[in-house]
Amino acid sequence: ILVNNAGILRDRSFAKMTLAEFREVIDVHLIGSVACTKAVWETMREQRFGRIVMTTSSSGLFGSFGQANYSAAKMALVGLMQTLALEGDKYGIKVNCLAPTAATAMTDGLLAQDAMERLSPDFVSPGLPALVGDDAPTRAILCAGAGHFARSNVTLTRGVHVGGGEGAAARVVANWDEISDRTGEIVPDYGFTQMERELASVPAAAGRKVANG
């Protein structure tokens, strides 16, 4: 079992953030997790069993003012989790994300004392066994804080086929509400699901025209 939990903060609005501050956060959160995962990956493949948890954040999932570097790193870990879960599946390796809300050294001085107590890391850690046990899911994003647990998902709406050519951009704008409608949205099993749905939406006549050049 590997839990990638290293992290730092270099909070600053994007306008004032230096590239060095951006890279430093990426290096610790993302590259640090990559390095640790790389160190155990072959062992897990050989033994055909492994559990990896990436520590993501609501800042990455939903955004947070003044944390462009942190948000980018934390959402990158979700993408890393998605692909490693697919690559590790046949080897019994399950990869998940934990998005904790907890009072740590990184939040020291930012929260009131009563909030610090209610957001103790002790209330987050009970979620870990669900992500690393024999019956653990894979590609799950578990949000945890103050004893509350929820799932977050990257979803895809049904969408609308508007075609191409002249007027296509205007049709995207005109159909924006339907494109955004979350009724019937799915959690794709893999990245190519987007392409498969897009190709399936092309009317048969248009598909023959494309095929014939």
Side-chain angles (χ1 to χ4, degrees), residues 25-109:
V25 171
I26 295 291
D27 281 345
V28 173
H29 290 270
L30 176 59
I31 305 305
S33 296
V34 170
C36 291
T37 302
K38 192 68 174 174
V40 303
W41 191 253
E42 284 307 313
T43 298
M44 289 183 174
R45 277 169 37 109
E46 290 171 5
Q47 68 190 15
R48 306 190 75 82
F49 182 90
R51 299 290 185 265
I52 299 172
V53 177
M54 308 289 182
T55 305
T56 185
S57 170
S58 58
S59 295
L61 297 170
F62 314 117
S64 183
F65 188 91
Q67 292 192 319
N69 48 6
Y70 183 77
S71 299
K74 288 305 191 183
M75 196 58 185
L77 288 170
V78 174
L80 179 63
M81 177 266 296
Q82 300 276 23
T83 292
L84 291 184
L86 295 175
E87 292 185 5
D89 184 59
K90 67 179 180 180
Y91 299 101
I93 302 173
K94 297 184 177 182
V95 190
N96 296 292
C97 277
L98 178 65
T101 303
T104 67
M106 291 198 301
T107 58
D108 189 32

Side-chain angles (χ1 to χ4, degrees), residues 24 48 88-89 104 135 150 171 209:
E24 188 176 8
R48 306 190 75 82
D89 184 59
T104 67
D135 298 323
R171 291 193 293 276
K209 183 177 179 181

Side-chain angles (χ1 to χ4, degrees), residues 96-200:
N96 296 292
C97 277
L98 178 65
T101 303
T104 67
M106 291 198 301
T107 58
D108 189 32
L110 300 177
L111 300 172
Q113 184 59 39
D114 62 331
M116 294 276 283
E117 293 172 357
R118 284 181 286 147
L119 291 174
S120 167
D122 293 342
F123 292 117
V124 172
S125 54
L128 270 174
L131 300 179
V132 301
D134 289 340
D135 298 323
T138 195
R139 299 176 67 222
I141 304 170
L142 179 64
C143 301
H148 182 271
F149 297 88
R151 287 279 302 273
S152 180
N153 292 289
V154 179
T155 65
L156 184 66
T157 66
R158 291 181 301 177
V160 178
H161 181 266
V162 303
E166 186 176 353
R171 291 193 293 276
V172 172
V173 174
N175 287 278
W176 187 253
D177 287 345
E178 188 174 356
I179 291 170
S180 303
D181 185 359
R182 300 189 63 177
T183 303
E185 68 181 1
I186 64 169
V187 178
D189 292 328
Y190 45 82
F192 281 123
T193 300
Q194 176 183 333
M195 180 187 69
E196 291 167 353
R197 297 188 89 190
E198 289 162 350
L199 291 175

